[in-house]
Coordinates of all heavy atoms in Angstrom, one line a residue:
K1 N 112.5 182.1 195.3 CA 112.8 181.6 194.0 C 112.8 180.1 194.0 O 113.2 179.5 195.0 CB 114.2 182.2 193.5 CG 114.2 183.7 193.3 CD 115.5 184.1 192.8 CE 115.5 185.6 192.5 NZ 116.6 186.1 191.7
G2 N 112.5 179.5 192.9 CA 112.5 178.1 192.8 C 112.1 177.6 191.5 O 111.8 178.4 190.5
F3 N 112.1 176.3 191.3 CA 111.6 175.7 190.1 C 111.2 174.3 190.4 O 111.6 173.6 191.3 CB 112.7 175.7 189.0 CG 113.8 174.7 189.2 CD1 113.7 173.4 188.7 CD2 114.9 175.1 189.9 CE1 114.8 172.5 188.9 CE2 116.0 174.2 190.1 CZ 115.9 173.0 189.6
G4 N 110.2 173.8 189.6 CA 109.8 172.4 189.6 C 109.8 171.9 188.3 O 110.9 171.8 187.6
R5 N 108.7 171.6 187.7 CA 108.6 171.1 186.3 C 109.0 172.1 185.3 O 109.3 171.8 184.2 CB 107.2 170.5 186.0 CG 107.0 169.3 186.8 CD 105.7 168.6 186.5 NE 105.5 167.4 187.3 CZ 104.4 166.8 187.4 NH1 103.3 167.4 186.9 NH2 104.3 165.7 188.1
Q6 N 108.9 173.4 185.7 CA 109.2 174.5 184.7 C 110.7 174.4 184.4 O 111.1 174.8 183.3 CB 108.9 175.9 185.4 CG 107.5 176.3 185.2 CD 107.3 177.6 185.8 OE1 107.4 177.8 187.0 NE2 106.9 178.6 185.0
K7 N 111.6 174.1 185.3 CA 113.0 174.0 185.1 C 113.7 175.2 184.6 O 114.7 175.2 184.0 CB 113.3 172.8 184.2 CG 112.9 171.5 184.8 CD 113.4 170.4 184.0 CE 113.2 169.0 184.6 NZ 111.9 168.7 185.1
G8 N 113.1 176.4 184.8 CA 113.7 177.6 184.4 C 113.6 177.8 182.9 O 112.8 177.1 182.2
H9 N 114.3 178.8 182.3 CA 114.3 179.1 180.9 C 115.5 179.9 180.5 O 116.3 180.3 181.4 CB 113.0 179.9 180.6 CG 113.0 181.2 181.3 ND1 112.5 181.4 182.6 CD2 113.3 182.5 180.9 CE1 112.6 182.6 182.9 NE2 113.1 183.3 181.9
T10 N 115.7 180.1 179.2 CA 116.9 180.8 178.8 C 116.4 182.2 178.4 O 115.3 182.4 177.9 CB 117.6 180.2 177.5 OG1 116.6 180.0 176.5 CG2 118.1 178.8 177.9
E11 N 117.3 183.2 178.6 CA 117.0 184.6 178.2 C 118.2 185.1 177.4 O 119.3 184.7 177.5 CB 116.8 185.5 179.4 CG 115.5 185.2 180.1 CD 115.1 186.1 181.2 OE1 115.9 187.1 181.4 OE2 114.1 185.9 181.9
L12 N 118.0 186.2 176.7 CA 119.0 186.9 175.9 C 119.3 188.2 176.6 O 118.3 189.0 176.8 CB 118.5 187.0 174.5 CG 119.6 187.3 173.4 CD1 120.6 186.1 173.4 CD2 118.9 187.5 172.1
Y13 N 120.5 188.5 176.9 CA 120.9 189.8 177.5 C 122.1 190.3 176.9 O 123.2 189.7 176.9 CB 121.1 189.6 179.0 CG 121.5 190.9 179.7 CD1 120.5 191.9 179.9 CD2 122.8 191.1 180.2 CE1 120.9 193.1 180.6 CE2 123.1 192.3 180.8 CZ 122.2 193.3 181.0 OH 122.5 194.4 181.6
R14 N 122.0 191.4 176.2 CA 123.1 192.1 175.5 C 123.8 191.1 174.5 O 125.0 191.0 174.5 CB 124.1 192.7 176.5 CG 123.5 193.8 177.2 CD 124.5 194.6 178.0 NE 123.9 195.7 178.7 CZ 124.6 196.6 179.4 NH1 125.9 196.5 179.5 NH2 123.9 197.6 180.0
G15 N 123.0 190.3 173.9 CA 123.6 189.4 172.9 C 124.0 188.1 173.4 O 124.4 187.2 172.7
A16 N 124.1 187.9 174.7 CA 124.5 186.7 175.3 C 123.3 185.9 175.9 O 122.4 186.5 176.5 CB 125.5 186.9 176.5
E17 N 123.3 184.6 175.6 CA 122.2 183.8 176.1 C 122.6 183.2 177.5 O 123.7 182.7 177.6 CB 121.9 182.7 175.1 CG 120.7 181.9 175.4 CD 120.3 180.9 174.3 OE1 119.8 181.4 173.3 OE2 120.6 179.7 174.5
Y18 N 121.7 183.2 178.4 CA 122.0 182.6 179.7 C 120.8 181.9 180.3 O 119.7 182.2 179.9 CB 122.6 183.6 180.7 CG 121.6 184.7 181.1 CD1 120.9 184.6 182.3 CD2 121.3 185.8 180.3 CE1 120.0 185.6 182.7 CE2 120.5 186.8 180.7 CZ 119.8 186.7 181.9 OH 118.9 187.7 182.3
V19 N 121.0 181.0 181.2 CA 119.9 180.2 181.7 C 119.5 180.8 183.1 O 120.3 181.1 183.9 CB 120.4 178.7 181.9 CG1 119.3 177.9 182.5 CG2 120.8 178.1 180.6
V20 N 118.2 181.0 183.2 CA 117.6 181.4 184.5 C 117.0 180.1 185.1 O 116.0 179.6 184.7 CB 116.5 182.4 184.3 CG1 115.8 182.8 185.6 CG2 117.0 183.6 183.5
D21 N 117.8 179.6 186.1 CA 117.4 178.3 186.8 C 116.3 178.5 187.7 O 115.4 177.6 187.8 CB 118.6 177.7 187.5 CG 119.7 177.2 186.6 OD1 119.3 176.8 185.4 OD2 120.9 177.2 186.9
F22 N 116.3 179.6 188.5 CA 115.3 179.8 189.5 C 114.3 180.9 189.1 O 114.8 182.0 188.7 CB 115.9 180.1 190.9 CG 116.8 179.0 191.4 CD1 118.1 179.0 191.3 CD2 116.1 177.9 192.0 CE1 118.9 177.9 191.8 CE2 116.9 176.8 192.5 CZ 118.2 176.9 192.4
L23 N 113.1 180.6 189.2 CA 112.0 181.6 188.8 C 111.5 182.3 190.0 O 111.3 181.6 191.1 CB 110.9 180.8 188.0 CG 111.4 180.1 186.8 CD1 110.2 179.3 186.2 CD2 111.9 181.1 185.7
P24 N 111.1 183.5 189.9 CA 110.5 184.2 191.0 C 109.2 183.7 191.4 O 108.3 183.5 190.5 CB 110.5 185.7 190.6 CG 110.5 185.6 189.1 CD 111.2 184.4 188.7
K25 N 108.9 183.5 192.7 CA 107.7 183.0 193.2 C 107.3 183.8 194.5 O 108.2 184.5 195.0 CB 107.7 181.5 193.5 CG 108.0 180.6 192.4 CD 106.9 180.5 191.4 CE 107.2 179.5 190.3 NZ 106.2 179.3 189.4
I26 N 106.1 183.6 194.9 CA 105.7 184.2 196.2 C 105.3 183.1 197.1 O 104.5 182.2 196.7 CB 104.5 185.2 196.0 CG1 104.9 186.4 195.1 CG2 103.9 185.7 197.3 CD1 105.9 187.4 195.8
K27 N 105.7 183.1 198.4 CA 105.2 182.2 199.4 C 104.3 182.9 200.3 O 104.7 183.9 201.0 CB 106.4 181.5 200.1 CG 105.9 180.5 201.1 CD 107.0 179.6 201.6 CE 108.0 180.3 202.5 NZ 108.9 179.3 203.2
V28 N 103.1 182.4 200.4 CA 102.1 182.9 201.3 C 101.9 181.9 202.5 O 101.7 180.8 202.2 CB 100.7 183.1 200.6 CG1 99.7 183.6 201.6 CG2 100.9 184.1 199.4
E29 N 102.1 182.4 203.7 CA 101.9 181.6 204.9 C 100.8 182.1 205.7 O 100.7 183.3 206.0 CB 103.2 181.6 205.7 CG 104.4 181.0 204.9 CD 105.7 181.2 205.7 OE1 106.0 180.3 206.5 OE2 106.3 182.2 205.5
V30 N 99.9 181.2 206.2 CA 98.8 181.6 207.0 C 98.5 180.4 208.0 O 98.7 179.3 207.6 CB 97.6 181.9 206.2 CG1 97.1 180.7 205.4 CG2 96.4 182.5 207.0
V31 N 98.2 180.8 209.2 CA 97.8 179.8 210.2 C 96.3 180.0 210.5 O 95.9 181.1 210.8 CB 98.6 180.0 211.5 CG1 98.1 179.0 212.6 CG2 100.1 179.7 211.3
V32 N 95.6 178.9 210.4 CA 94.1 179.0 210.6 C 93.6 177.8 211.5 O 94.3 176.9 211.7 CB 93.4 178.8 209.2 CG1 93.8 180.0 208.3 CG2 93.7 177.5 208.5
T33 N 92.4 178.0 211.9 CA 91.8 176.9 212.7 C 91.4 175.7 211.8 O 91.3 175.9 210.6 CB 90.5 177.4 213.4 OG1 89.6 177.8 212.5 CG2 90.9 178.5 214.4
D34 N 91.3 174.6 212.3 CA 91.0 173.4 211.5 C 89.7 173.6 210.8 O 89.5 173.1 209.6 CB 90.9 172.1 212.4 CG 92.2 171.7 213.0 OD1 93.2 172.1 212.3 OD2 92.3 171.0 214.0
S35 N 88.7 174.3 211.4 CA 87.4 174.5 210.7 C 87.5 175.3 209.4 O 86.6 175.2 208.6 CB 86.4 175.1 211.7 OG 86.9 176.3 212.1
V36 N 88.5 176.2 209.3 CA 88.6 177.1 208.2 C 89.6 176.6 207.2 O 89.7 177.1 206.0 CB 89.0 178.5 208.7 CG1 89.1 179.5 207.6 CG2 88.0 179.0 209.7
A37 N 90.4 175.6 207.5 CA 91.5 175.2 206.7 C 91.1 174.8 205.3 O 91.7 175.2 204.3 CB 92.3 174.0 207.3
D38 N 90.1 174.0 205.1 CA 89.6 173.5 203.8 C 89.1 174.7 203.0 O 89.4 174.7 201.8 CB 88.5 172.5 203.9 CG 89.1 171.1 204.5 OD1 90.3 170.9 204.3 OD2 88.3 170.3 205.0
Q39 N 88.4 175.6 203.6 CA 88.0 176.8 202.8 C 89.1 177.6 202.4 O 89.1 178.2 201.2 CB 87.1 177.7 203.7 CG 85.7 177.0 204.1 CD 85.0 177.9 205.1 OE1 85.5 178.7 205.7 NE2 83.7 177.6 205.2
A40 N 90.1 177.8 203.2 CA 91.3 178.6 202.8 C 92.1 177.9 201.7 O 92.5 178.6 200.7 CB 92.3 178.7 204.0
I41 N 92.2 176.6 201.7 CA 92.9 175.9 200.7 C 92.2 176.0 199.4 O 92.7 176.3 198.3 CB 93.1 174.4 201.0 CG1 94.1 174.3 202.2 CG2 93.6 173.6 199.9 CD1 94.1 172.9 202.9
E42 N 90.9 175.9 199.4 CA 90.0 176.0 198.2 C 90.1 177.4 197.6 O 90.2 177.6 196.4 CB 88.6 175.6 198.5 CG 87.7 175.4 197.3 CD 88.2 174.3 196.4 OE1 88.8 173.3 197.0 OE2 88.1 174.4 195.2
A43 N 90.1 178.4 198.5 CA 90.2 179.8 198.1 C 91.6 180.1 197.4 O 91.6 180.7 196.3 CB 90.1 180.8 199.3
I44 N 92.6 179.5 197.9 CA 94.0 179.7 197.3 C 94.0 179.0 195.9 O 94.4 179.5 194.9 CB 95.1 179.1 198.2 CG1 95.2 179.9 199.4 CG2 96.4 179.1 197.4 CD1 96.1 179.3 200.5
I45 N 93.4 177.8 195.8 CA 93.4 177.0 194.6 C 92.7 177.8 193.5 O 93.2 178.0 192.4 CB 92.8 175.6 194.7 CG1 93.7 174.8 195.6 CG2 92.5 175.0 193.4 CD1 93.1 173.4 196.0

């Protein structure tokens, strides 16, 4: 979970408004050789 420029948002739950500061995200980690690194970064982008 985290936030950057999004800074979270407000939601309504059972009539009460509350702030969701941290948004769900996924972190993908991979270790590659130097020769494949640029291709991997481009594929992710």
Side-chain angles (χ1 to χ4, degrees):
K1 291 184 179 193
F3 72 91
R5 291 184 178 161
Q6 277 181 294
K7 294 187 175 51
H9 61 279
T10 58
E11 289 187 6
L12 198 62
Y13 180 72
R14 294 189 178 185
E17 190 174 283
Y18 66 100
V19 177
V20 178
D21 290 330
F22 295 101
L23 301 172
K25 301 287 183 179
I26 295 289
K27 181 164 71 170
V28 177
E29 299 173 87
V30 63
V31 176
V32 297
T33 60
D34 290 336
S35 61
V36 181
D38 289 337
Q39 293 174 342
I41 293 166
E42 196 60 36
I44 294 169
I45 291 170

